[in-house]
Amino acid sequence: MPELPEVETIKRVIEPQIQGLVIENVTVKRPEVMAYPAADEFCRRLTRQTISHMTRRGKFLTIQLNSDDRMILHLRMTGCLLLTPADYPEEKHTHVIFSLNNGKELRFSDTRRFGRFWLIKKDEADTYSGIHKLGTEALDKLLTAEYLNTHFGKRKKAVKECLLDQSAIAGIGNIYSDEILFTAGIYPARPANSLKMEEWERLAAVIPERLSYFIEMNRITPEEYLETKGQDYRNTPFLQVYGQKGRPCPKCGEMLCRIVVGGRGSVYCPVCQHSFR
């Protein structure tokens, strides 16, 4: 599932290529992808609108229009956004096509069909997408040790589950919670209320550092992005623990282990992230 670094990568690749372009037509092949409004209304309202810019909030993308309407997208597990020439071979699970006035198409594909769009009118309150429920951005300076301790310090939940709580921290998912906790030296299943203030301080420093690092490692040109169908995020060789069960810890050499925390697989080092730390 795309997390903050991947969604930021998509924004950085797509935004410069679509700014100032007019949406001439919208083709919806899977109406259920349009969460609000219904597909017919969605297409009618978007047609002839001009794209201003894009923003990211947590794992959400927003395409801002010159009219001050805004189109919001959540990729969920397998969603992908591609800008292609009109005659470019179409991906099998392409559900929405935005035809632009430069002859290109902005296409949304999604194998599992969980991704969703919302089109919010100028001055309309967004009570539909869920963005208003998000907590502090994971890269925001407001994400301090005090913030983390206030939100999680009394919880009995595992610290990994807390990091995945989008209502408190927006943008972290299963991949980067493992990477963050490994770098911070904290066992993923440890109850949040057992963490000391120095550990919250460590997490507050590690969260933006790790996410910024993987954003940089994901850097890719528009040509490379299109060639790899938007799926070749470049962080994989740089992941230290996620998906590395049974391999040696990059810090101490001990074999990495896997446990399930809150229904999510989690990889950790039993030495560097001792459960009693």
Side-chain angles (χ1 to χ4, degrees):
M1 175 180 178
E3 300 180 24
L4 188 155
E6 288 75 38
V7 178
E8 180 66 23
T9 296
I10 294 168
K11 174 191 172 292
R12 293 185 182 190
V13 169
I14 299 293
E15 181 184 30
Q17 299 182 82
I18 64 172
Q19 284 181 298
L21 297 181
V22 176
I23 300 170
E24 293 191 328
N25 185 57
V26 184
T27 302
V28 177
K29 299 183 177 183
R30 285 279 183 177
E32 67 269 25
V33 172
M34 301 304 165
Y36 174 82
D40 287 349
E41 177 69 6
F42 188 99
C43 295
R44 185 188 65 79
R45 280 171 40 190
L46 263 184
T47 301
R48 302 307 303 168
Q49 292 246 40
T50 301
I51 297 168
S52 171
H53 61 279
M54 292 178 71
T55 60
R56 180 196 55 75
R57 177 79 168 94
K59 302 175 190 178
F60 287 84
L61 284 170
T62 297
I63 296 179
Q64 190 71 41
L65 305 163
N66 280 1
S67 65
D68 286 334
D69 290 354
R70 57 203 185 277
M71 177 172 59
I72 300 168
L73 165 64
H74 199 300
L75 300 166
R76 301 284 167 81
M77 294 185 72
T78 57
C80 179
L81 206 57
L82 281 179
L83 184 70
T84 74
D87 60 355
Y88 194 80
E90 193 173 300
E91 293 300 292
K92 182 178 179 181
H93 300 283
T94 297
H95 305 317
V96 187
I97 300 174
F98 304 91
S99 299
L100 306 173
N101 67 326
N102 67 344
K104 292 192 175 183
E105 294 179 346
L106 185 62
R107 299 175 181 175
F108 173 72
S109 61
D110 188 359
T111 304
R112 301 190 68 174
R113 301 200 299 273
F114 292 154
R116 290 293 182 268
F117 284 87
W118 298 264
L119 181 58
I120 310 299
K121 293 180 182 177
K122 175 184 177 180
D123 299 327
E124 179 180 11
D126 176 15
T127 58
Y128 306 97
S129 70
I131 284 184
H132 65 288
K133 297 179 181 179
L134 293 178
T136 294
E137 189 77 12
L139 294 174
D140 199 297
K141 291 182 179 179
L142 294 174
L143 192 74
T144 62
E146 290 74 18
Y147 179 93
L148 294 172
N149 186 48
T150 297
H151 282 77
F152 304 134
K154 295 182 180 179
R155 292 194 189 183
K156 296 179 181 179
K157 275 190 174 183
V159 63
K160 169 156 181 170
E161 289 185 84
C162 293
L163 293 183
L164 298 177
D165 182 353
Q166 301 300 300
S167 69
I169 309 173
I172 301 173
N174 199 40
I175 296 172
Y176 298 111
S177 57
D178 276 6
E179 295 296 310
I180 287 163
L181 290 168
F182 173 72
T183 302
I186 298 171
Y187 179 61
R190 189 165 156 201
N193 62 4
S194 73
L195 268 66
K196 300 173 183 177
M197 198 62 195
E198 65 185 37
E199 292 170 306
W200 291 122
E201 289 171 353
R202 204 151 68 231
L203 274 175
V206 166
I207 288 170
E209 186 278 325
R210 285 289 83 191
L211 294 176
S212 297
Y213 170 80
F214 283 111
I215 289 171
E216 183 60 29
M217 291 303 102
N218 271 342
R219 187 182 293 273
I220 189 170
T221 68
E223 293 76 19
E224 291 168 330
Y225 181 85
L226 178 58
E227 182 180 351
T228 58
K229 308 296 193 305
Q231 300 297 327
D232 182 23
Y233 300 117
R234 305 195 162 196
N235 61 25
T236 304
F238 304 99
L239 294 173
Q240 295 186 289
V241 291
Y242 178 81
Q244 309 295 315
K245 174 192 173 184
R247 295 184 180 180
C249 170
K251 290 183 180 179
C252 73
E254 182 67 30
M255 184 178 293
L256 296 174
C257 300
R258 183 183 184 275
I259 55 173
V260 176
V261 180
R264 312 293 293 274
S266 303
V267 180
Y268 72 101
C269 174
V271 174
C272 299
Q273 296 167 269
H274 195 283
S275 58
F276 297 108
R277 285 196 174 198

